[in-house]
Amino acid sequence: MLSRTADNLFWLARYMERADFLARLIEATQRLSTLPTAYGGTGSEWESTLNAAGALETYELAFDKVTEGDAIHFLAFDSKNPSSIRNCIELARTNARAVRTALTIEMWQSINTAWLELKRFETSLGAKGTIDRVELSRFLDFVKKTSLDFDGSANRTMLRNDAYWFSRLGLYVERVDTTARILDVKYHVLLPETEAVGGTIDYFQWTAILRAVSALTAYHWVYKGGVKPWLVADLLILRPEMPRSLHFCYDNIVRLLDAIARAYGRQGPSQRHARSVLSRLENASIKEIFETGLHEFLTGFIEDNDRLGSNIAEQYLID
Amino acid sequence: MANGRFFDEMKRPDGLTRAVYERVNRWLESAPPELLASRRSQAELMFRRIGITFAVYGEKDASERLIPFDIIPRVLGRSEWTRLEAGLVQRVKALNLFLADVYGAGEVIRAGVIPSDIVYRNPHFRPEMSGRRVPHDVYVQISGIDIVRIDEDDFYVLEDNARTPSGVSYMLENREVMMRLVPELFAEHRVAPVENYPDALLACLKSVSPRPAGNDPTTVLLTPGQFNSAYYEHSFLADKLGIELVEGRDLLVRDDIVYMRTTQGPQRVDVIYRRIDDEYLDPLAFRPDSALGVPGLMSAYLAGNVTLANAVGTGIADDKAVYTYMPEIIRFYLGEEPLLKNVPTWRCRDPESLKYVLDHLPELVVKEVNGSGGYGMLVGPHATRAEIDSFADKLKHDPAGFIAQPTLSLSTCPASFESGIGPRHVDLRPFVLSGADGVRVIPGGLTRVALKEGSLVVNSSQGGGTKDTWVIDDEQGPA
């Protein structure tokens, strides 16, 4: 297939996944920021959220201080924020339009409908300053629904060939990046039991992380107990059955890259690199990770994942 | 001539129904108005659904870009079609021979059939093509010949579109919609299918591959991109043909060979169905500011390593000044009388014609030689005195830029509206394919209809709509 088509499919899926993540992140932060300080409210929730979204630097260029209203507007609707939800949906649609023939009708309709709907929300919510909380939660639901719809359409209607593989690859590369980032921003509350700081105050922070990646219920099923910080890290980094975990995502990345390599009859740097990242995840234990430093581990992982992105681009997307 | 006596394709002047329309007429007479109304809104809905894709590639407001569709089919009998088809095949054969000649020996000019300045000083003439051959001498693989009808017997060619004619996606979509919309009417007719057009087109494109038979030629469709108004058609066709839809930046030229950039590295391209005008094909050969084209493409083309369909330089064949010579051109190459008529045309560059035209503006249609889309033209009988006067000034200023034709009494077909059924003027664009093994026409085409009562302008940019076009067997089975 055309490199440009593969590139468009890859980024289309990334943008949809990013929009979904941002919606969940905003929801979780809203919840957290209403807590009294005695329950772990720190007053800097929005700053750390902007950071997790990778948007703090651009935000600070435009605003003097972080307020909830500005932060939400910036993350959701600001066209100056390259990764705002609205920009993600618009970029997804631009990519979709350019590869109309590579998409199924269902996928196209899902994106196009979302884009039209977005215009409506921009009118009702796009103004800076005030937040209509009811309308905002409707908007965030809409974003989550859109990504489910797009995902489901892709899953149910796409031929299992390179177009499908590149699209799914985009989804997992993006998802694994967002999981790693949110863990890294919150790593200080995920210190292991032995360090016993903060006691239960951090409980709400941990659950906020789980909510942001829609894993709170999964946590209870897997660990069948109270929320423990190192187990939150274990769930999101190492559990192969958790669809947001680094391990799960890399399982899929390796599988997808192998499918491409088989179809094209050639392995390359992307396949080798992805396998080595996966094997490190497979062989790691949460104890070791905490011993060597969670922050160091996550920073290293994010770099590794970025490198995979450039490997894929060089090997397939730009010729 | 716009005096109210038009040839109606359904009703004869004596009020009887023409045979080919009998079943359509019966259906219209028996169908309650509510049924027609519900079909109309159903059609609108279906098109809006597909239409989302029609529309989004253009301007902001999606609904604005739907081209109106009329639910009553335009019907041609098999014998009428056979006559028309023979005329189209003849015409396109002549166009190809003419192009091979003007870029070759130039016999048509030496024989004095057509003045040399009309050809060689024409902005559409491409000197780069002189002395070059193209595979099988086929220049115009895809053409859309605009046809109008004025009576039972005569078809006139309004213009030849030999560059990048569009509209074929409407022909195909209209049929799909009609089959779901009026299945009962379909059941009563034997309608020649059009759905094989994409297969025929692909076969035609592959037949002119520059590489020897035996390897399966790689064919692509080259589009200016998603902001082009016909992008929907480009992606629609690429999809139906199962070929890659490429933009200029997806192609590269190395050692005069064209490749497309794929996830498996560069892949050689043999045939390019290009929907980009000559001027934008290659910034090294034509407009240097074109970002749409492929640097080096012309060089690869002239080296004979890739086929462009249509060929470079076919604009000379659908030029409005050359059009006026088409009957002579057909006689010259084929030694046959033209089967389709040319609309009699005054060339305003000729002083005597100019005088006649200026004296008769209220009854003539005056067109810019290089205009299209129904803009820049004067429809005399429908113009005000002031419009005519200001047009006369334009004409005196640049006579060579205009031609004039009598107002044709375009035939009418029934169309369905909220207010009832009424006759509206139509034209027809059949699509003609020329490949290594000859010329063929898909039975049908795109019927454009002027939806405004009395209007003769069928262009979609000026209130025109479309209809499905049926070619039916003359002898229908029992209903």
Side-chain angles (χ1 to χ4, degrees), chain A residues 58-76:
Chain A
T58 27
Y59 179 90
E60 282 171 341
L61 291 176
F63 299 92
D64 294 334
K65 60 180 191 340
V66 178
T67 67
E68 179 177 32
D70 285 346
I72 290 179
H73 182 268
F74 190 71
L75 289 171

Side-chain angles (χ1 to χ4, degrees), chain B residues 230-284:
Chain B
Y231 181 74
Y232 172 75
E233 176 157 305
H234 305 162
S235 67
F236 174 89
L237 282 176
D239 219 17
K240 297 279 175 208
L241 268 65
I243 62 178
E244 293 288 357
L245 177 65
V246 302
E247 295 177 19
R249 59 195 160 120
D250 296 320
L251 299 180
L252 70 128
V253 179
R254 213 178 281 157
D255 299 327
D256 280 346
I257 304 224
V258 181
Y259 300 90
M260 62 176 160
R261 302 171 200 270
T262 79
T263 50
Q264 300 185 71
Q267 185 188 341
R268 181 166 178 177
V269 172
D270 300 296
V271 182
I272 302 177
Y273 174 22
R274 49 89 169 220
R275 296 290 296 259
I276 289 185
D277 291 338
D278 285 358
E279 295 89 325
Y280 298 94
L281 278 176
D282 179 350
L284 300 180

